[in-house]
Amino acid sequence: SGFDTEDPWSVILPHFFKPMAHFSETDKLLLRQDSTNGKLVHIAKFCDLGLREGGSGFRDVRLLPRGVDTGQFSPARRDLALRRAWGLADEQLAVLCLGRMAPEKNLELAVRSYRAIQRRVPGARFVWVGDGPALPALKREHPDFVYCGMRRDADLARHFASTDLFLFPSLTETFGNVTLEALASGVPLVAYDYGAAREHVRDGVHGRTIGCGDAAAFVAAAVELADDAAARQRMRAAGR
Protein backbone atom coordinates (compact mmCIF):
# COMPACT_ATOMS: atom_id res chain seq x y z
CA SER A 1 0.00 0.00 0.00
CA GLY A 2 3.00 2.31 -0.30
CA PHE A 3 3.58 4.78 -3.11
CA ASP A 4 5.02 3.40 -6.34
CA THR A 5 6.25 6.75 -7.66
CA GLU A 6 8.88 9.18 -6.45
CA ASP A 7 6.20 11.85 -6.02
CA PRO A 8 2.96 10.39 -4.56
CA TRP A 9 1.02 13.49 -5.58
CA SER A 10 1.26 12.41 -9.23
CA VAL A 11 -0.88 9.45 -8.15
CA ILE A 12 -3.20 11.09 -5.63
CA LEU A 13 -4.19 14.36 -7.23
CA PRO A 14 -5.83 13.08 -10.45
CA HIS A 15 -8.50 11.46 -8.29
CA PHE A 16 -9.69 14.76 -6.81
CA PHE A 17 -11.38 17.76 -8.31
CA LYS A 18 -9.12 20.72 -9.09
CA PRO A 19 -9.00 22.56 -5.71
CA MET A 20 -7.36 19.52 -4.08
CA ALA A 21 -4.18 20.34 -5.99
CA HIS A 22 -3.61 23.09 -3.45
CA PHE A 23 -2.71 20.96 -0.41
CA SER A 24 -0.66 22.87 2.13
CA GLU A 25 2.95 21.84 2.59
CA THR A 26 2.11 20.65 6.11
CA ASP A 27 -0.63 18.34 4.82
CA LYS A 28 1.66 17.00 2.08
CA LEU A 29 4.29 16.23 4.68
CA LEU A 30 1.75 14.43 6.85
CA LEU A 31 0.62 12.26 3.98
CA ARG A 32 4.13 11.44 2.82
CA GLN A 33 5.34 10.57 6.31
CA ASP A 34 2.46 8.27 7.06
CA SER A 35 2.65 6.59 3.67
CA THR A 36 5.96 5.05 4.73
CA ASN A 37 4.04 3.03 7.33
CA GLY A 38 1.71 1.60 4.72
CA LYS A 39 -1.24 3.84 5.57
CA LEU A 40 -2.64 6.84 3.74
CA VAL A 41 -3.88 9.55 6.10
CA HIS A 42 -6.10 12.34 4.82
CA ILE A 43 -8.01 15.18 6.45
CA ALA A 44 -11.42 15.37 4.81
CA LYS A 45 -14.20 12.90 4.06
CA PHE A 46 -14.38 13.87 0.40
CA CYS A 47 -10.71 12.86 0.09
CA ASP A 48 -11.76 9.47 1.44
CA LEU A 49 -14.34 9.09 -1.30
CA GLY A 50 -11.81 9.94 -3.99
CA LEU A 51 -9.20 7.54 -2.64
CA ARG A 52 -11.52 4.62 -2.01
CA GLU A 53 -13.61 4.89 -5.16
CA GLY A 54 -11.30 6.67 -7.57
CA GLY A 55 -9.38 3.60 -8.62
CA SER A 56 -6.21 4.75 -6.88
CA GLY A 57 -5.34 1.32 -5.51
CA PHE A 58 -4.65 2.64 -2.00
CA ARG A 59 -5.54 0.42 0.94
CA ASP A 60 -5.93 1.12 4.65
CA VAL A 61 -7.09 4.70 4.14
CA ARG A 62 -7.52 6.60 7.41
CA LEU A 63 -9.38 9.83 8.23
CA LEU A 64 -7.63 12.24 10.59
CA PRO A 65 -10.37 14.69 11.64
CA ARG A 66 -9.63 18.32 12.30
CA GLY A 67 -11.08 20.45 15.05
CA VAL A 68 -10.78 23.68 17.00
CA ASP A 69 -10.55 24.68 20.65
CA THR A 70 -14.16 25.58 21.44
CA GLY A 71 -13.07 27.15 24.69
CA GLN A 72 -10.98 29.66 22.80
CA PHE A 73 -13.24 30.12 19.77
CA SER A 74 -16.50 31.09 21.40
CA PRO A 75 -19.29 33.69 21.13
CA ALA A 76 -18.25 34.73 24.63
CA ARG A 77 -15.20 36.39 23.07
CA ARG A 78 -17.38 39.05 21.43
CA ASP A 79 -15.89 42.43 22.35
CA LEU A 80 -18.06 45.54 22.08
CA ALA A 81 -15.05 47.82 22.61
CA LEU A 82 -13.35 46.23 19.62
CA ARG A 83 -16.46 46.75 17.52
CA ARG A 84 -16.55 50.41 18.54
CA ALA A 85 -12.93 50.70 17.40
CA TRP A 86 -14.13 49.46 14.01
CA GLY A 87 -16.77 52.20 13.99
CA LEU A 88 -19.69 49.90 14.76
CA ALA A 89 -22.44 49.90 17.34
CA ASP A 90 -23.52 46.47 18.59
CA GLU A 91 -26.55 46.30 16.29
CA GLN A 92 -24.59 47.19 13.16
CA LEU A 93 -23.25 44.54 10.80
CA ALA A 94 -19.58 43.50 10.82
CA VAL A 95 -18.69 41.38 7.78
CA LEU A 96 -15.47 39.38 8.05
CA CYS A 97 -12.87 38.13 5.60
CA LEU A 98 -10.11 36.20 7.37
CA GLY A 99 -7.04 34.33 6.15
CA ARG A 100 -4.12 34.76 3.79
CA MET A 101 -4.61 37.77 1.55
CA ALA A 102 -3.56 36.29 -1.78
CA PRO A 103 -5.11 36.12 -5.28
CA GLU A 104 -5.83 32.38 -5.09
CA LYS A 105 -8.20 33.04 -2.18
CA ASN A 106 -10.79 34.59 -4.53
CA LEU A 107 -10.74 37.90 -2.67
CA GLU A 108 -12.40 39.73 -5.54
CA LEU A 109 -15.60 37.80 -4.84
CA ALA A 110 -15.42 38.75 -1.16
CA VAL A 111 -15.17 42.42 -2.17
CA ARG A 112 -17.97 42.07 -4.70
CA SER A 113 -20.20 40.42 -2.11
CA TYR A 114 -19.54 43.12 0.47
CA ARG A 115 -20.26 45.94 -1.98
CA ALA A 116 -23.61 44.29 -2.71
CA ILE A 117 -24.25 43.98 1.03
CA GLN A 118 -23.35 47.62 1.50
CA ARG A 119 -26.06 48.68 -0.93
CA ARG A 120 -28.64 46.75 1.12
CA VAL A 121 -27.18 47.43 4.60
CA PRO A 122 -25.48 50.85 4.38
CA GLY A 123 -24.12 50.81 7.95
CA ALA A 124 -22.12 47.59 7.47
CA ARG A 125 -18.32 47.50 7.78
CA PHE A 126 -15.93 45.02 6.17
CA VAL A 127 -13.28 43.71 8.58
CA TRP A 128 -10.16 42.00 7.17
CA VAL A 129 -7.96 39.83 9.39
CA GLY A 130 -4.74 38.46 7.93
CA ASP A 131 -1.80 39.39 5.74
CA GLY A 132 -0.41 38.50 2.35
CA PRO A 133 0.70 39.82 -1.03
CA ALA A 134 -2.74 41.13 -2.02
CA LEU A 135 -3.06 43.35 1.06
CA PRO A 136 -1.32 46.51 -0.30
CA ALA A 137 -3.62 46.61 -3.34
CA LEU A 138 -6.68 46.03 -1.17
CA LYS A 139 -5.74 48.92 1.09
CA ARG A 140 -5.09 51.17 -1.87
CA GLU A 141 -8.32 50.30 -3.71
CA HIS A 142 -10.62 49.97 -0.68
CA PRO A 143 -9.52 52.40 2.03
CA ASP A 144 -12.93 52.18 3.72
CA PHE A 145 -12.34 48.60 4.86
CA VAL A 146 -11.07 47.84 8.37
CA TYR A 147 -7.66 46.12 8.21
CA CYS A 148 -6.60 44.35 11.39
CA GLY A 149 -3.46 42.53 10.23
CA MET A 150 -2.38 39.15 11.57
CA ARG A 151 -4.07 37.95 14.76
CA ARG A 152 -3.37 34.79 16.71
CA ASP A 153 -4.77 32.67 19.53
CA ALA A 154 -7.14 34.50 21.91
CA ASP A 155 -6.82 37.74 19.94
CA LEU A 156 -7.87 35.96 16.74
CA ALA A 157 -10.82 34.40 18.57
CA ARG A 158 -11.85 37.83 19.86
CA HIS A 159 -11.81 39.27 16.33
CA PHE A 160 -13.77 36.31 14.97
CA ALA A 161 -16.49 36.44 17.62
CA SER A 162 -16.90 40.21 17.29
CA THR A 163 -18.17 39.90 13.71
CA ASP A 164 -21.58 38.90 12.38
CA LEU A 165 -21.04 37.28 8.98
CA PHE A 166 -18.01 35.48 7.56
CA LEU A 167 -17.41 35.45 3.80
CA PHE A 168 -15.22 32.54 2.70
CA PRO A 169 -15.12 32.47 -1.13
CA SER A 170 -11.90 30.44 -1.53
CA LEU A 171 -11.89 27.45 -3.87
CA THR A 172 -8.30 26.41 -3.16
CA GLU A 173 -8.48 24.97 0.36
CA THR A 174 -7.35 21.55 1.48
CA PHE A 175 -10.00 21.69 4.19
CA GLY A 176 -10.65 25.21 5.46
CA ASN A 177 -10.30 25.08 9.25
CA VAL A 178 -11.54 28.67 9.50
CA THR A 179 -14.97 27.20 8.79
CA LEU A 180 -14.84 25.37 12.12
CA GLU A 181 -13.53 28.48 13.85
CA ALA A 182 -16.50 30.44 12.52
CA LEU A 183 -18.99 27.83 13.74
CA ALA A 184 -17.37 27.68 17.17
CA SER A 185 -17.40 31.49 17.35
CA GLY A 186 -21.10 31.60 16.52
CA VAL A 187 -20.52 33.45 13.25
CA PRO A 188 -22.72 32.44 10.27
CA LEU A 189 -20.80 32.01 7.04
CA VAL A 190 -21.16 31.85 3.30
CA ALA A 191 -18.81 29.32 1.70
CA TYR A 192 -18.54 27.08 -1.31
CA ASP A 193 -19.79 23.53 -0.81
CA TYR A 194 -16.59 21.54 -0.43
CA GLY A 195 -14.03 20.73 2.26
CA ALA A 196 -15.02 21.71 5.77
CA ALA A 197 -18.18 23.45 4.61
CA ARG A 198 -19.47 20.28 2.98
CA GLU A 199 -18.73 18.21 6.06
CA HIS A 200 -19.84 20.57 8.82
CA VAL A 201 -22.16 23.32 7.51
CA ARG A 202 -25.83 22.59 7.01
CA ASP A 203 -27.14 25.01 4.42
CA GLY A 204 -29.67 27.35 5.99
CA VAL A 205 -28.84 26.15 9.52
CA HIS A 206 -25.26 27.30 10.15
CA GLY A 207 -24.90 29.57 7.13
CA ARG A 208 -25.06 29.10 3.39
CA THR A 209 -23.18 26.64 1.21
CA ILE A 210 -22.97 27.44 -2.49
CA GLY A 211 -22.26 25.25 -5.49
CA CYS A 212 -18.58 25.55 -6.37
CA GLY A 213 -17.87 28.41 -8.74
CA ASP A 214 -21.36 29.97 -8.68
CA ALA A 215 -20.28 33.52 -7.88
CA ALA A 216 -23.71 35.07 -8.44
CA ALA A 217 -25.29 32.68 -5.95
CA PHE A 218 -22.52 33.41 -3.46
CA VAL A 219 -23.20 37.15 -3.65
CA ALA A 220 -26.96 36.64 -3.39
CA ALA A 221 -26.60 34.43 -0.31
CA ALA A 222 -24.27 36.94 1.35
CA VAL A 223 -26.74 39.77 0.80
CA GLU A 224 -29.65 37.65 2.02
CA LEU A 225 -27.92 36.79 5.30
CA ALA A 226 -26.62 40.31 5.80
CA ASP A 227 -30.18 41.59 5.60
CA ASP A 228 -31.69 39.00 7.96
CA ALA A 229 -30.60 39.55 11.55
CA ALA A 230 -33.08 36.97 12.87
CA ALA A 231 -31.64 34.24 10.63
CA ARG A 232 -28.11 35.12 11.67
CA GLN A 233 -29.10 34.89 15.33
CA ARG A 234 -30.57 31.40 14.80
CA MET A 235 -27.42 30.34 12.97
CA ARG A 236 -25.21 31.79 15.68
CA ALA A 237 -26.85 29.49 18.22
CA ALA A 238 -26.87 26.46 15.87
CA GLY A 239 -23.15 26.73 15.16
CA ARG A 240 -22.28 25.74 18.71
Side-chain angles (χ1 to χ4, degrees):
S1 61
F3 294 108
D4 297 324
T5 64
E6 182 176 349
D7 181 6
W9 294 99
S10 64
V11 176
I12 295 173
L13 293 181
H15 300 288
F16 299 118
F17 58 91
K18 185 176 180 181
M20 290 305 299
H22 297 271
F23 276 92
S24 71
E25 292 305 312
T26 301
D27 293 326
K28 290 181 182 180
L29 181 62
L30 171 65
L31 282 162
R32 286 193 177 106
Q33 285 179 334
D34 202 78
S35 71
T36 63
N37 297 321
K39 301 179 180 65
L40 181 62
V41 176
H42 58 92
I43 58 173
K45 290 180 180 178
F46 72 105
C47 300
D48 184 77
L49 181 64
L51 289 166
R52 292 181 188 277
E53 300 182 3
S56 65
F58 290 110
R59 301 185 300 277
D60 203 6
V61 178
R62 306 289 180 88
L63 174 65
L64 178 64
R66 287 192 173 190
V68 297
D69 182 347
T70 55
Q72 177 159 277
F73 289 94
S74 166
R77 299 276 184 178
R78 190 175 180 89
D79 188 331
L80 298 185
L82 180 60
R83 289 175 58 86
R84 286 194 290 271
W86 295 339
L88 288 167
D90 189 41
E91 69 277 4
Q92 291 179 289
L93 181 72
V95 182
L96 175 67
C97 186
L98 181 149
R100 175 171 164 79
M101 306 306 173
E104 68 269 16
K105 297 299 187 179
N106 205 12
L107 303 179
E108 291 183 2
L109 182 55
V111 172
R112 176 181 161 191
S113 299
Y114 172 72
R115 292 305 184 196
I117 288 171
Q118 196 176 34
R119 290 190 289 272
R120 183 76 65 84
V121 187
R125 299 298 305 273
F126 203 6
V127 177
W128 291 69
V129 176
D131 200 355
L135 189 57
L138 280 168
K139 288 183 173 180
R140 183 174 60 252
E141 296 168 12
H142 305 283
D144 57 315
F145 295 168
V146 179
Y147 299 99
C148 301
M150 287 290 295
R151 302 287 165 170
R152 299 185 186 279
D153 303 323
D155 193 29
L156 173 61
R158 183 171 67 105
H159 278 69
F160 229 136
S162 298
T163 63
D164 306 297
L165 177 62
F166 176 40
L167 302 183
F168 190 41
S170 177
L171 278 166
T172 58
E173 304 301 313
T174 306
F175 181 73
N177 225 51
V178 290
T179 299
L180 302 186
E181 292 169 355
L183 294 175
S185 301
V187 180
L189 70 155
V190 181
Y192 281 124
D193 186 22
Y194 80 106
R198 176 171 293 180
E199 292 188 22
H200 296 285
V201 178
R202 290 176 59 194
D203 186 46
V205 176
H206 307 116
R208 294 298 314 277
T209 56
I210 309 301
C212 289
D214 192 342
F218 189 101
V219 173
V223 172
E224 179 184 2
L225 270 186
D227 198 34
D228 192 340
R232 293 198 313 275
Q233 186 59 38
R234 289 194 301 271
M235 292 173 180
R236 174 180 288 271
R240 294 288 294 182

